[in-house]
Amino acid sequence: MESEGIELIPGEVLNAETPDARSTYFEVSARVPGAPGTLYYAQTDDGRVAILKGPPSVGGRAPSLEREMRHLALLAPHPNVLRVLGKHKDPRGHTLLFLERLFESPFLVLNREHVRARLQERAEPKAPPKTGAVARARRLAPPVSVALELAYELALALEHLHSKGIVHGDVRPENLMLAIDWREPEIPDSQYFERIARGRWRGVLVDLGGSRTGKELEGLARGLPLVQPPKTTPLYVPPEILPGQKDATG
């Protein structure tokens, strides 16, 4: 059974410390629909939407969140790596992270069922809608220019991580998101694609909870008992975390 996470009160205002040690405030909004654990929308003091992320339950540990905080703290701010807006020390002993609000990549949005159906209807208005396995067999891809820009920005993000000896370990479509200037929790498809077409977005690599340092990977390769292997997605396992492979970060 998935945890419902820490219960926060919509409208509650939390004080947080920014990465440059300033004090700021966030107002808690609604829980992110369908998300396990502690994940809420919040609003910054200048009206932007942020994401509040915390441990899975009261009194529970969140090793992946702790690792993400630790590794993000090692990195200088970078436009293509998830940005921490602030940290809040909860009275119950937890650290809550406030993160920039991001949106799914165009590859995932284009392959939402209702988006695919609309695109198919425009391309073949008289054709019956495809359903099931037939509809999912061929994934829709974003325009080549957008795909190339996404790949380039992903490479910049990975280069930034590797400069500090950090290996992400789970680079998959769900972990490459978009920063779009939109001051609501959700963005309509029409506005989303308009911003894609106008280039008003940037690619952002997220979820460093499974990342490892080069030293940790070396210890894992030697079978050290205290080094935990990262959780990965089989299709996207990078060679540098496989046993016997030299760490690609140098």
Side-chain angles (χ1 to χ4, degrees), residues 119-158:
L119 291 173
Q120 180 193 340
E121 185 178 351
R122 288 187 180 184
E124 308 172 71
K126 295 183 180 180
K130 295 173 182 169
T131 59
V134 175
R136 294 190 296 270
R138 184 178 178 184
R139 307 296 295 275
L140 297 177
V144 173
S145 59
V146 174
L148 289 175
E149 183 65 23
L150 274 171
Y152 175 67
E153 296 191 349
L154 171 60
L156 292 177
L158 292 174

mmCIF file of all heavy atoms in Angstrom, residues 119-158:
data_model
loop_
_atom_site.group_PDB
_atom_site.id
_atom_site.type_symbol
_atom_site.label_atom_id
_atom_site.label_comp_id
_atom_site.label_asym_id
_atom_site.label_seq_id
_atom_site.Cartn_x
_atom_site.Cartn_y
_atom_site.Cartn_z
ATOM 1 N N LEU A 119 -4.580 14.232 -32.451
ATOM 2 C CA LEU A 119 -3.652 14.349 -33.576
ATOM 3 C C LEU A 119 -4.046 13.391 -34.709
ATOM 4 O O LEU A 119 -3.974 13.740 -35.883
ATOM 5 C CB LEU A 119 -2.221 14.055 -33.117
ATOM 6 C CG LEU A 119 -1.599 15.107 -32.186
ATOM 7 C CD1 LEU A 119 -0.248 14.622 -31.676
ATOM 8 C CD2 LEU A 119 -1.443 16.437 -32.919
ATOM 9 N N GLN A 120 -4.487 12.188 -34.339
ATOM 10 C CA GLN A 120 -4.924 11.228 -35.345
ATOM 11 C C GLN A 120 -6.158 11.733 -36.076
ATOM 12 O O GLN A 120 -6.279 11.621 -37.299
ATOM 13 C CB GLN A 120 -5.218 9.873 -34.702
ATOM 14 C CG GLN A 120 -5.688 8.815 -35.709
ATOM 15 C CD GLN A 120 -6.272 7.598 -35.024
ATOM 16 O OE1 GLN A 120 -6.020 7.353 -33.847
ATOM 17 N NE2 GLN A 120 -7.062 6.833 -35.756
ATOM 18 N N GLU A 121 -7.079 12.336 -35.311
ATOM 19 C CA GLU A 121 -8.306 12.847 -35.921
ATOM 20 C C GLU A 121 -8.000 13.967 -36.915
ATOM 21 O O GLU A 121 -8.617 14.064 -37.971
ATOM 22 C CB GLU A 121 -9.246 13.354 -34.829
ATOM 23 C CG GLU A 121 -10.600 13.806 -35.347
ATOM 24 C CD GLU A 121 -11.514 14.265 -34.233
ATOM 25 O OE1 GLU A 121 -11.158 14.073 -33.058
ATOM 26 O OE2 GLU A 121 -12.582 14.819 -34.552
ATOM 27 N N ARG A 122 -7.033 14.820 -36.589
ATOM 28 C CA ARG A 122 -6.661 15.899 -37.515
ATOM 29 C C ARG A 122 -5.984 15.355 -38.764
ATOM 30 O O ARG A 122 -6.201 15.852 -39.871
ATOM 31 C CB ARG A 122 -5.720 16.875 -36.813
ATOM 32 C CG ARG A 122 -6.407 17.729 -35.770
ATOM 33 C CD ARG A 122 -5.473 18.779 -35.228
ATOM 34 N NE ARG A 122 -6.113 19.609 -34.228
ATOM 35 C CZ ARG A 122 -5.537 20.656 -33.658
ATOM 36 N NH1 ARG A 122 -4.294 20.984 -33.993
ATOM 37 N NH2 ARG A 122 -6.185 21.362 -32.764
ATOM 38 N N ALA A 123 -5.151 14.307 -38.568
ATOM 39 C CA ALA A 123 -4.430 13.753 -39.713
ATOM 40 C C ALA A 123 -5.342 12.915 -40.601
ATOM 41 O O ALA A 123 -5.226 12.930 -41.823
ATOM 42 C CB ALA A 123 -3.259 12.902 -39.228
ATOM 43 N N GLU A 124 -6.263 12.161 -39.976
ATOM 44 C CA GLU A 124 -7.169 11.281 -40.717
ATOM 45 C C GLU A 124 -8.584 11.485 -40.187
ATOM 46 O O GLU A 124 -9.095 10.654 -39.435
ATOM 47 C CB GLU A 124 -6.743 9.827 -40.558
ATOM 48 C CG GLU A 124 -5.275 9.551 -40.887
ATOM 49 C CD GLU A 124 -4.890 8.132 -40.521
ATOM 50 O OE1 GLU A 124 -5.349 7.207 -41.217
ATOM 51 O OE2 GLU A 124 -4.153 7.961 -39.547
ATOM 52 N N PRO A 125 -9.254 12.568 -40.536
ATOM 53 C CA PRO A 125 -10.558 12.888 -39.931
ATOM 54 C C PRO A 125 -11.624 11.829 -40.141
ATOM 55 O O PRO A 125 -12.547 11.724 -39.336
ATOM 56 C CB PRO A 125 -10.940 14.205 -40.615
ATOM 57 C CG PRO A 125 -10.073 14.306 -41.816
ATOM 58 C CD PRO A 125 -8.813 13.573 -41.506
ATOM 59 N N LYS A 126 -11.549 11.039 -41.205
ATOM 60 C CA LYS A 126 -12.585 10.042 -41.475
ATOM 61 C C LYS A 126 -12.188 8.643 -41.000
ATOM 62 O O LYS A 126 -12.977 7.714 -41.105
ATOM 63 C CB LYS A 126 -12.897 10.003 -42.969
ATOM 64 C CG LYS A 126 -13.517 11.302 -43.478
ATOM 65 C CD LYS A 126 -13.880 11.195 -44.941
ATOM 66 C CE LYS A 126 -14.513 12.498 -45.454
ATOM 67 N NZ LYS A 126 -14.867 12.418 -46.882
ATOM 68 N N ALA A 127 -10.968 8.491 -40.515
ATOM 69 C CA ALA A 127 -10.520 7.163 -40.088
ATOM 70 C C ALA A 127 -11.013 6.869 -38.678
ATOM 71 O O ALA A 127 -11.082 7.759 -37.835
ATOM 72 C CB ALA A 127 -8.996 7.091 -40.113
ATOM 73 N N PRO A 128 -11.411 5.595 -38.414
ATOM 74 C CA PRO A 128 -11.827 5.245 -37.046
ATOM 75 C C PRO A 128 -10.652 5.367 -36.098
ATOM 76 O O PRO A 128 -9.513 5.100 -36.472
ATOM 77 C CB PRO A 128 -12.287 3.780 -37.184
ATOM 78 C CG PRO A 128 -11.554 3.268 -38.387
ATOM 79 C CD PRO A 128 -11.423 4.434 -39.309
ATOM 80 N N PRO A 129 -10.883 5.813 -34.862
ATOM 81 C CA PRO A 129 -9.779 5.956 -33.915
ATOM 82 C C PRO A 129 -9.130 4.618 -33.585
ATOM 83 O O PRO A 129 -9.814 3.604 -33.436
ATOM 84 C CB PRO A 129 -10.452 6.568 -32.678
ATOM 85 C CG PRO A 129 -11.892 6.201 -32.815
ATOM 86 C CD PRO A 129 -12.180 6.155 -34.283
ATOM 87 N N LYS A 130 -7.804 4.628 -33.499
ATOM 88 C CA LYS A 130 -7.076 3.408 -33.142
ATOM 89 C C LYS A 130 -7.063 3.283 -31.632
ATOM 90 O O LYS A 130 -6.941 4.258 -30.905
ATOM 91 C CB LYS A 130 -5.651 3.474 -33.676
ATOM 92 C CG LYS A 130 -5.605 3.496 -35.205
ATOM 93 C CD LYS A 130 -4.196 3.725 -35.707
ATOM 94 C CE LYS A 130 -4.201 3.797 -37.237
ATOM 95 N NZ LYS A 130 -2.939 4.277 -37.776
ATOM 96 N N THR A 131 -7.191 2.051 -31.155
ATOM 97 C CA THR A 131 -7.234 1.830 -29.714
ATOM 98 C C THR A 131 -6.301 0.696 -29.338
ATOM 99 O O THR A 131 -5.797 -0.042 -30.187
ATOM 100 C CB THR A 131 -8.662 1.477 -29.258
ATOM 101 O OG1 THR A 131 -9.088 0.290 -29.966
ATOM 102 C CG2 THR A 131 -9.622 2.600 -29.551
ATOM 103 N N GLY A 132 -6.075 0.561 -28.032
ATOM 104 C CA GLY A 132 -5.323 -0.569 -27.507
ATOM 105 C C GLY A 132 -3.902 -0.642 -28.017
ATOM 106 O O GLY A 132 -3.219 0.345 -28.221
ATOM 107 N N ALA A 133 -3.441 -1.884 -28.248
ATOM 108 C CA ALA A 133 -2.051 -2.132 -28.638
ATOM 109 C C ALA A 133 -1.707 -1.479 -29.968
ATOM 110 O O ALA A 133 -0.590 -1.004 -30.166
ATOM 111 C CB ALA A 133 -1.806 -3.642 -28.719
ATOM 112 N N VAL A 134 -2.673 -1.415 -30.883
ATOM 113 C CA VAL A 134 -2.412 -0.796 -32.183
ATOM 114 C C VAL A 134 -2.087 0.683 -32.016
ATOM 115 O O VAL A 134 -1.162 1.219 -32.628
ATOM 116 C CB VAL A 134 -3.622 -0.971 -33.121
ATOM 117 C CG1 VAL A 134 -3.400 -0.225 -34.421
ATOM 118 C CG2 VAL A 134 -3.870 -2.454 -33.396
ATOM 119 N N ALA A 135 -2.843 1.362 -31.142
ATOM 120 C CA ALA A 135 -2.624 2.789 -30.929
ATOM 121 C C ALA A 135 -1.285 3.054 -30.257
ATOM 122 O O ALA A 135 -0.649 4.070 -30.485
ATOM 123 C CB ALA A 135 -3.748 3.367 -30.081
ATOM 124 N N ARG A 136 -0.840 2.115 -29.389
ATOM 125 C CA ARG A 136 0.399 2.323 -28.660
ATOM 126 C C ARG A 136 1.631 1.820 -29.384
ATOM 127 O O ARG A 136 2.752 2.048 -28.968
ATOM 128 C CB ARG A 136 0.304 1.632 -27.291
ATOM 129 C CG ARG A 136 -0.729 2.244 -26.367
ATOM 130 C CD ARG A 136 -0.601 1.666 -24.970
ATOM 131 N NE ARG A 136 -0.904 0.232 -24.969
ATOM 132 C CZ ARG A 136 -2.124 -0.260 -24.779
ATOM 133 N NH1 ARG A 136 -3.148 0.549 -24.583
ATOM 134 N NH2 ARG A 136 -2.324 -1.565 -24.773
ATOM 135 N N ALA A 137 1.431 1.099 -30.490
ATOM 136 C CA ALA A 137 2.557 0.450 -31.156
ATOM 137 C C ALA A 137 3.582 1.455 -31.657
ATOM 138 O O ALA A 137 4.782 1.237 -31.541
ATOM 139 C CB ALA A 137 2.039 -0.415 -32.305
ATOM 140 N N ARG A 138 3.136 2.554 -32.192
ATOM 141 C CA ARG A 138 4.055 3.546 -32.718
ATOM 142 C C ARG A 138 3.988 4.804 -31.864
ATOM 143 O O ARG A 138 2.973 5.484 -31.799
ATOM 144 C CB ARG A 138 3.693 3.879 -34.167
ATOM 145 C CG ARG A 138 4.683 4.850 -34.800
ATOM 146 C CD ARG A 138 4.321 5.115 -36.238
ATOM 147 N NE ARG A 138 5.242 6.069 -36.829
ATOM 148 C CZ ARG A 138 5.122 6.554 -38.066
ATOM 149 N NH1 ARG A 138 4.113 6.151 -38.817
ATOM 150 N NH2 ARG A 138 5.996 7.404 -38.537
ATOM 151 N N ARG A 139 5.090 5.113 -31.191
ATOM 152 C CA ARG A 139 5.120 6.287 -30.343
ATOM 153 C C ARG A 139 5.359 7.528 -31.193
ATOM 154 O O ARG A 139 6.148 7.523 -32.137
ATOM 155 C CB ARG A 139 6.244 6.163 -29.299
ATOM 156 C CG ARG A 139 6.204 4.886 -28.476
ATOM 157 C CD ARG A 139 4.971 4.790 -27.612
ATOM 158 N NE ARG A 139 4.932 5.815 -26.587
ATOM 159 C CZ ARG A 139 5.527 5.718 -25.407
ATOM 160 N NH1 ARG A 139 6.201 4.626 -25.098
ATOM 161 N NH2 ARG A 139 5.424 6.688 -24.529
ATOM 162 N N LEU A 140 4.659 8.593 -30.857
ATOM 163 C CA LEU A 140 4.841 9.853 -31.561
ATOM 164 C C LEU A 140 6.080 10.557 -31.037
ATOM 165 O O LEU A 140 6.370 10.532 -29.840
ATOM 166 C CB LEU A 140 3.620 10.741 -31.357
ATOM 167 C CG LEU A 140 2.293 10.212 -31.907
ATOM 168 C CD1 LEU A 140 1.166 11.173 -31.569
ATOM 169 C CD2 LEU A 140 2.385 10.021 -33.418
ATOM 170 N N ALA A 141 6.811 11.180 -31.937
ATOM 171 C CA ALA A 141 8.033 11.888 -31.555
ATOM 172 C C ALA A 141 7.850 13.383 -31.751
ATOM 173 O O ALA A 141 7.112 13.817 -32.640
ATOM 174 C CB ALA A 141 9.202 11.394 -32.398
ATOM 175 N N PRO A 142 8.516 14.210 -30.943
ATOM 176 C CA PRO A 142 8.449 15.662 -31.147
ATOM 177 C C PRO A 142 9.200 16.047 -32.412
ATOM 178 O O PRO A 142 9.950 15.236 -32.976
ATOM 179 C CB PRO A 142 9.135 16.221 -29.896
ATOM 180 C CG PRO A 142 10.032 15.125 -29.440
ATOM 181 C CD PRO A 142 9.336 13.851 -29.788
ATOM 182 N N PRO A 143 9.034 17.266 -32.893
ATOM 183 C CA PRO A 143 9.797 17.712 -34.067
ATOM 184 C C PRO A 143 11.302 17.517 -33.850
ATOM 185 O O PRO A 143 11.791 17.605 -32.713
ATOM 186 C CB PRO A 143 9.440 19.202 -34.166
ATOM 187 C CG PRO A 143 8.117 19.318 -33.490
ATOM 188 C CD PRO A 143 8.120 18.308 -32.389
ATOM 189 N N VAL A 144 12.015 17.266 -34.934
ATOM 190 C CA VAL A 144 13.449 16.985 -34.839
ATOM 191 C C VAL A 144 14.191 18.108 -34.126
ATOM 192 O O VAL A 144 15.070 17.867 -33.294
ATOM 193 C CB VAL A 144 14.037 16.755 -36.250
ATOM 194 C CG1 VAL A 144 15.561 16.644 -36.186
ATOM 195 C CG2 VAL A 144 13.447 15.498 -36.863
ATOM 196 N N SER A 145 13.835 19.355 -34.425
ATOM 197 C CA SER A 145 14.535 20.487 -33.801
ATOM 198 C C SER A 145 14.368 20.474 -32.283
ATOM 199 O O SER A 145 15.313 20.762 -31.534
ATOM 200 C CB SER A 145 14.035 21.809 -34.376
ATOM 201 O OG SER A 145 12.634 21.951 -34.157
ATOM 202 N N VAL A 146 13.156 20.124 -31.811
ATOM 203 C CA VAL A 146 12.899 20.068 -30.375
ATOM 204 C C VAL A 146 13.658 18.896 -29.754
ATOM 205 O O VAL A 146 14.279 19.031 -28.686
ATOM 206 C CB VAL A 146 11.392 19.942 -30.097
ATOM 207 C CG1 VAL A 146 11.123 19.723 -28.606
ATOM 208 C CG2 VAL A 146 10.655 21.182 -30.580
ATOM 209 N N ALA A 147 13.639 17.739 -30.429
ATOM 210 C CA ALA A 147 14.343 16.561 -29.913
ATOM 211 C C ALA A 147 15.843 16.820 -29.809
ATOM 212 O O ALA A 147 16.485 16.440 -28.816
ATOM 213 C CB ALA A 147 14.080 15.360 -30.820
ATOM 214 N N LEU A 148 16.415 17.482 -30.798
ATOM 215 C CA LEU A 148 17.848 17.781 -30.771
ATOM 216 C C LEU A 148 18.184 18.751 -29.643
ATOM 217 O O LEU A 148 19.206 18.592 -28.963
ATOM 218 C CB LEU A 148 18.293 18.355 -32.122
ATOM 219 C CG LEU A 148 18.337 17.376 -33.292
ATOM 220 C CD1 LEU A 148 18.663 18.114 -34.580
ATOM 221 C CD2 LEU A 148 19.361 16.275 -33.042
ATOM 222 N N GLU A 149 17.342 19.753 -29.452
ATOM 223 C CA GLU A 149 17.589 20.713 -28.374
ATOM 224 C C GLU A 149 17.486 20.033 -27.012
ATOM 225 O O GLU A 149 18.298 20.283 -26.113
ATOM 226 C CB GLU A 149 16.603 21.875 -28.464
ATOM 227 C CG GLU A 149 16.819 22.964 -27.423
ATOM 228 C CD GLU A 149 18.142 23.697 -27.581
ATOM 229 O OE1 GLU A 149 18.700 23.702 -28.695
ATOM 230 O OE2 GLU A 149 18.616 24.258 -26.573
ATOM 231 N N LEU A 150 16.499 19.140 -26.855
ATOM 232 C CA LEU A 150 16.367 18.388 -25.611
ATOM 233 C C LEU A 150 17.603 17.532 -25.352
ATOM 234 O O LEU A 150 18.122 17.482 -24.227
ATOM 235 C CB LEU A 150 15.122 17.501 -25.660
ATOM 236 C CG LEU A 150 13.791 18.113 -25.240
ATOM 237 C CD1 LEU A 150 12.656 17.161 -25.568
ATOM 238 C CD2 LEU A 150 13.789 18.425 -23.747
ATOM 239 N N ALA A 151 18.070 16.839 -26.400
ATOM 240 C CA ALA A 151 19.252 15.985 -26.257
ATOM 241 C C ALA A 151 20.478 16.816 -25.885
ATOM 242 O O ALA A 151 21.290 16.416 -25.038
ATOM 243 C CB ALA A 151 19.502 15.220 -27.550
ATOM 244 N N TYR A 152 20.619 17.991 -26.503
ATOM 245 C CA TYR A 152 21.754 18.865 -26.211
ATOM 246 C C TYR A 152 21.709 19.336 -24.760
ATOM 247 O O TYR A 152 22.728 19.308 -24.052
ATOM 248 C CB TYR A 152 21.725 20.062 -27.163
ATOM 249 C CG TYR A 152 22.788 21.102 -26.863
ATOM 250 C CD1 TYR A 152 24.140 20.816 -27.034
ATOM 251 C CD2 TYR A 152 22.427 22.367 -26.411
ATOM 252 C CE1 TYR A 152 25.113 21.769 -26.761
ATOM 253 C CE2 TYR A 152 23.384 23.323 -26.129
ATOM 254 C CZ TYR A 152 24.730 23.020 -26.301
ATOM 255 O OH TYR A 152 25.679 23.965 -26.023
ATOM 256 N N GLU A 153 20.526 19.737 -24.291
ATOM 257 C CA GLU A 153 20.421 20.226 -22.921
ATOM 258 C C GLU A 153 20.594 19.092 -21.913
ATOM 259 O O GLU A 153 21.126 19.312 -20.810
ATOM 260 C CB GLU A 153 19.103 20.965 -22.737
ATOM 261 C CG GLU A 153 19.051 22.224 -23.611
ATOM 262 C CD GLU A 153 17.895 23.148 -23.304
ATOM 263 O OE1 GLU A 153 16.981 22.757 -22.551
ATOM 264 O OE2 GLU A 153 17.912 24.283 -23.824
ATOM 265 N N LEU A 154 20.164 17.885 -22.278
ATOM 266 C CA LEU A 154 20.423 16.727 -21.428
ATOM 267 C C LEU A 154 21.925 16.487 -21.315
ATOM 268 O O LEU A 154 22.450 16.207 -20.225
ATOM 269 C CB LEU A 154 19.726 15.492 -21.997
ATOM 270 C CG LEU A 154 20.071 14.150 -21.335
ATOM 271 C CD1 LEU A 154 19.705 14.166 -19.864
ATOM 272 C CD2 LEU A 154 19.356 13.001 -22.052
ATOM 273 N N ALA A 155 22.640 16.591 -22.440
ATOM 274 C CA ALA A 155 24.093 16.405 -22.420
ATOM 275 C C ALA A 155 24.769 17.447 -21.521
ATOM 276 O O ALA A 155 25.707 17.123 -20.782
ATOM 277 C CB ALA A 155 24.651 16.483 -23.840
ATOM 278 N N LEU A 156 24.284 18.690 -21.563
ATOM 279 C CA LEU A 156 24.843 19.731 -20.698
ATOM 280 C C LEU A 156 24.613 19.393 -19.223
ATOM 281 O O LEU A 156 25.491 19.599 -18.373
ATOM 282 C CB LEU A 156 24.208 21.084 -21.020
ATOM 283 C CG LEU A 156 24.541 21.699 -22.386
ATOM 284 C CD1 LEU A 156 23.779 23.010 -22.565
ATOM 285 C CD2 LEU A 156 26.042 21.944 -22.534
ATOM 286 N N ALA A 157 23.424 18.866 -18.916
ATOM 287 C CA ALA A 157 23.115 18.495 -17.532
ATOM 288 C C ALA A 157 24.025 17.367 -17.057
ATOM 289 O O ALA A 157 24.578 17.417 -15.945
ATOM 290 C CB ALA A 157 21.650 18.078 -17.417
ATOM 291 N N LEU A 158 24.206 16.355 -17.895
ATOM 292 C CA LEU A 158 25.055 15.226 -17.512
ATOM 293 C C LEU A 158 26.513 15.664 -17.371
ATOM 294 O O LEU A 158 27.226 15.215 -16.465
ATOM 295 C CB LEU A 158 24.927 14.107 -18.542
ATOM 296 C CG LEU A 158 23.565 13.411 -18.587
ATOM 297 C CD1 LEU A 158 23.502 12.423 -19.740
ATOM 298 C CD2 LEU A 158 23.270 12.707 -17.263
#
